[in-house]
Amino acid sequence: MRPAHEEERPYGIEWYASDSDGVGGRLRDRPADFRVRERERFDFHPVESDTGDYPWLVCRVTLENTDTNDFARELSNRLSMSRERVSWAGTKDKRAISTQLFTLKGVDPDAVPDIHGAEIEILGRAGRGLAFGDLLGNEFTVVVRNPDAPERAETITTELESRFGGRAGVPNYFGHQRFGSYRSITHEVGLAILRGDWEGAVMAYLGNPSPHEPTSTREAREFVAETRDWETALDRFPNRLRYERSMLHALVDSPADFRGALGTFPENLQRLFVNAAQSAVFNRILSRRLDAGLPFHEPVAGDVVAFADTDAPADFPIPDMDRLQRVSERRTEVMARHCKRDRAFVTAPLVGTETGFAAGEPGEIERTALADLGLDPADFDLPEPYHSTGTRRAVLLRVDPTIQHDPLTFEFGLPKGSYATILLREYLKVSPRAL
């Protein structure tokens, strides 16, 4: 197999699924080169509905070159309300044009402000706010600029079909955005939290300079890592590093309260640290499964499969993680047929307190990947927002992109939680920073 790019290995991605050289090139030369639109799965009522029964205003927002969290903060500030009253189903890429739903609690339609970089369409009202995962998936249109060999794209598709049972797919890795696009450290913060090392978690975020950051930022990180001089560090950290500065302010007030410093992050970002650690473990499991030569498109004895979500559209099959079954030796052929028809999906764990491991060789791979990081499911028994019971995730991402040339363009749909860059890395085979 072809080894992954060296920058992907710290978060568990060890292999490509295709062996051919890539097309090269780069993504996001401009925001319009990367378009993503949610496939929505959220019920709402007319905007004139009673605000007592339906206090959440539902909006469809198109953002251009704007971070989802930055938009939510700007919107809540302009409305003079807590950011916790703004919710959405999934965070999108910043350097893109993205369209997704937001819900705003207790907001009148006439009060919604104009915000630079955002088009806001009022849709209606709902009895609850959006929760993470309240969508089916996303549709993408992605342009690759300056490819070296665009003619290789079809060859790579053929290789992906051959590896995964006759239909194209890729290992359902978590992409580099999960861990930090320029500084892949969110999983390191999460791992420290799981080990009870709150100081290590703070320093993983404040320190760890990246060669891809400006010199002033690298020097500020090096200074705080060497000195723990929080007050002087505040003078050195640029104002644009809001989260770092918020932690430093907290440490100036309470120098030894590292857990409190982490608490300055919004709750969804605090939760993201542990999620990133889970994702790194998951990536390691997939890499070990590839290394062991186990199939992704069908189960072996001991695997845990998820049956398809019966409420999903027929053209967009997704797994239902509430319908799991461990596969016995005598049931492997039956389950393989279900997987071939997208009625079932082989899974691996996003480990938490209630994780049940697979049996046999798949289970050994899962346990070893966790143990190698010095972790146990009980380590996820933490106070909110860090606690996680865990779940499972499909190991294979079934996707057969429509490919056009001049310019090289990929069109495809993905289920929620899967990354466009994980498909595109197979085709470009470049640094994750070029994705």
Side-chain angles (χ1 to χ4, degrees):
M1 288 185 296
R2 186 184 184 109
H5 193 280
E6 62 182 2
E7 294 176 15
E8 298 178 310
R9 294 174 189 169
Y11 43 85
I13 297 180
E14 296 285 346
W15 305 105
Y16 288 105
S18 56
D19 293 325
S20 293
D21 290 341
V23 302
R26 65 180 185 273
L27 305 184
R28 310 174 208 270
D29 196 52
R30 62 206 74 170
D33 285 350
F34 199 100
R35 295 178 180 268
V36 54
R37 185 180 184 91
E38 280 185 350
R39 287 197 67 160
E40 298 164 0
R41 193 182 199 181
F42 187 72
D43 294 329
F44 53 86
H45 300 268
V47 72
E48 301 83 9
S49 300
D50 180 71
T51 57
D53 292 331
Y54 306 105
W56 292 84
L57 189 67
V58 182
C59 308
R60 184 178 291 126
V61 179
T62 298
L63 300 176
E64 180 170 353
N65 204 31
T66 302
D67 178 79
T68 311
N69 283 285
D70 289 346
F71 168 75
R73 186 184 64 256
E74 174 70 11
L75 182 60
S76 60
N77 287 344
R78 295 279 294 277
L79 291 169
S80 300
M81 67 184 194
S82 166
R83 210 190 75 164
E84 304 305 320
R85 289 167 58 186
V86 181
S87 59
W88 59 96
T91 301
K92 308 297 185 234
D93 297 273
K94 175 182 178 179
R95 191 159 179 77
I97 295 178
S98 61
T99 301
Q100 65 185 116
L101 295 183
F102 282 81
T103 48
L104 318 176
K105 188 175 184 180
V107 174
D108 187 86
D110 295 334
V112 177
D114 292 329
I115 293 179
H116 178 71
E119 294 179 10
I120 305 175
E121 177 188 2
I122 308 298
L123 297 180
R125 291 194 169 275
R128 66 175 182 87
L130 282 159
F132 187 78
D134 272 338
L135 74 165
L136 279 171
N138 296 284
E139 300 287 346
F140 295 88
T141 302
V142 182
V143 177
V144 180
R145 297 292 176 184
N146 302 120
D148 302 317
E151 68 279 1
R152 294 174 183 157
E154 284 75 16
T155 299
I156 293 169
T157 298
T158 300
E159 289 187 10
L160 295 175
E161 291 171 347
S162 177
R163 182 176 288 277
F164 297 115
R167 288 190 295 150
V170 294
N172 197 16
Y173 283 125
F174 285 90
H176 68 280
Q177 304 100 308
R178 184 71 151 184
F179 309 100
S181 294
Y182 290 98
R183 205 168 59 106
S184 299
I185 50 85
T186 57
H187 62 300
E188 297 291 349
V189 178
L191 290 170
I193 290 170
L194 292 168
R195 294 166 182 147
D197 181 7
W198 299 98
E199 180 178 0
V202 167
M203 296 313 300
Y205 200 93
L206 287 178
N208 278 330
S210 165
H212 310 300
E213 295 181 296
T215 301
S216 60
T217 300
R218 295 199 307 270
E219 291 175 346
R221 295 194 191 283
E222 290 166 357
F223 173 82
V224 78
E226 292 170 2
T227 68
R228 304 294 205 273
D229 183 343
W230 316 126
E231 193 159 5
T232 303
L234 266 172
D235 295 331
R236 300 192 176 210
F237 272 77
N239 288 333
R240 60 185 171 75
L241 299 180
R242 296 184 305 273
Y243 297 131
E244 286 91 338
R245 290 181 61 81
S246 292
M247 283 200 293
L248 288 168
H249 277 295
L251 290 167
V252 168
D253 293 338
S254 301
D257 186 6
F258 295 102
R259 181 172 168 183
L262 282 173
T264 62
F265 282 90
E267 279 199 3
N268 68 311
L269 295 183
Q270 293 179 60
R271 190 173 296 111
L272 176 64
F273 293 135
V274 171
N275 293 159
Q278 292 171 310
S279 303
V281 175
F282 182 88
N283 281 356
R284 286 169 175 259
I285 292 170
L286 265 57
S287 291
R288 288 171 182 265
R289 189 176 180 107
L290 279 169
D291 203 28
L294 296 186
F296 281 54
H297 60 284
E298 61 186 13
V300 298
D303 265 322
V304 176
V305 301
F307 290 102
D309 185 336
T310 55
D311 293 329
D315 67 336
F316 207 76
I318 57 176
D320 181 351
M321 293 307 165
D322 291 326
R323 302 174 63 218
L324 300 173
Q325 185 175 116
R326 183 175 289 157
V327 181
S328 65
E329 184 72 51
R330 72 180 178 84
R331 294 274 293 170
T332 53
E333 290 186 10
V334 172
M335 286 300 177
R337 289 196 294 272
H338 283 314
C339 289
K340 185 175 182 179
R341 297 167 183 165
D342 292 328
R343 296 176 181 172
F345 306 81
V346 181
T347 69
L350 289 168
V351 179
T353 56
E354 297 180 8
T355 292
F357 292 109
E361 189 174 3
E364 183 61 27
I365 288 172
E366 294 171 4
R367 290 181 176 87
T368 302
L370 187 64
D372 283 351
L373 293 170
L375 296 178
D376 182 88
D379 295 328
F380 291 82
D381 189 9
L382 294 167
E384 292 294 350
Y386 305 111
H387 180 87
S388 179
T389 56
T391 185
R392 295 187 76 89
R393 172 181 170 95
V395 300
L396 178 62
L397 182 57
R398 280 286 188 204
V399 55
D400 188 5
T402 298
I403 302 173
Q404 300 176 6
H405 292 267
D406 300 322
L408 182 59
T409 303
F410 293 81
E411 295 183 6
F412 53 93
L414 299 181
K416 63 183 179 181
S418 293
Y419 289 75
T421 52
I422 287 302
L423 169 68
L424 295 166
R425 69 182 284 275
E426 291 284 351
Y427 285 90
L428 274 68
K429 294 189 173 72
V430 295
S431 162
R433 290 180 293 105
L435 299 175

